[in-house]
Amino acid sequence: DHILGRRVLQVNGLCLFSCSGTITPGEGHWKIYFCIKRGDDFQFDTKVSLKLNGVETKKVTLQKKLVAANRWTPLLVGEFHQERDSYREVEVQMESLPAKV
């Protein structure tokens, strides 16, 4: 990906995945997103759990959200309010859910 400055490998048969990050937002009210991009030959038929500080905020189906290939799509994880001079860290997580058997 030219925006990230790294090579994105093509994946076939992806089963489970997760990604996370920690941020320290400044004072104010924040909407926190994951931005993801689907390659031409990617298909994600899994649901993912989106979490803020370990608390699930929603479940989404990536195939429904990532309609256009090679375009960044924001997924709203949730909202966070940072009080003045508190500077709390926020952990953001996205992880796939196992398929029902």
Side-chain angles (χ1 to χ4, degrees), residues 1 12 28 33 37 42 47 54 56 59-60 74 76 86 92 97-98:
D1 181 84
N12 184 12
Y33 295 83
K37 182 167 73 169
F42 278 35
K47 284 188 176 181
E56 184 176 82
K59 292 178 186 168
V60 297
L76 178 64
S86 66
V92 186
L97 300 171

Side-chain angles (χ1 to χ4, degrees), residues 26-44:
E27 175 186 349
H29 190 80
W30 296 88
K31 291 184 179 181
I32 300 174
Y33 295 83
F34 269 107
C35 285
I36 55 179
K37 182 167 73 169
R38 177 179 66 83
D40 284 329
D41 54 353
F42 278 35
Q43 288 196 355
F44 293 104

Side-chain angles (χ1 to χ4, degrees), residues 28-94:
H29 190 80
W30 296 88
K31 291 184 179 181
I32 300 174
Y33 295 83
F34 269 107
C35 285
I36 55 179
K37 182 167 73 169
R38 177 179 66 83
D40 284 329
D41 54 353
F42 278 35
Q43 288 196 355
F44 293 104
D45 58 353
T46 186
K47 284 188 176 181
V48 295
S49 171
L50 301 172
K51 299 178 183 180
L52 276 180
N53 291 327
V55 176
E56 184 176 82
T57 58
K58 61 180 72 170
K59 292 178 186 168
V60 297
T61 303
L62 289 181
Q63 189 166 335
K64 291 178 182 176
K65 296 289 184 181
L66 302 177
V67 178
N70 295 315
R71 288 182 66 193
W72 287 102
T73 303
L75 296 178
L76 178 64
V77 178
E79 298 184 25
F80 180 79
H81 186 78
Q82 185 76 283
E83 297 294 332
R84 184 177 199 164
D85 298 327
S86 66
Y87 303 107
R88 295 175 292 154
E89 286 188 340
V90 180
E91 183 182 20
V92 186
Q93 296 172 288
M94 177 173 48

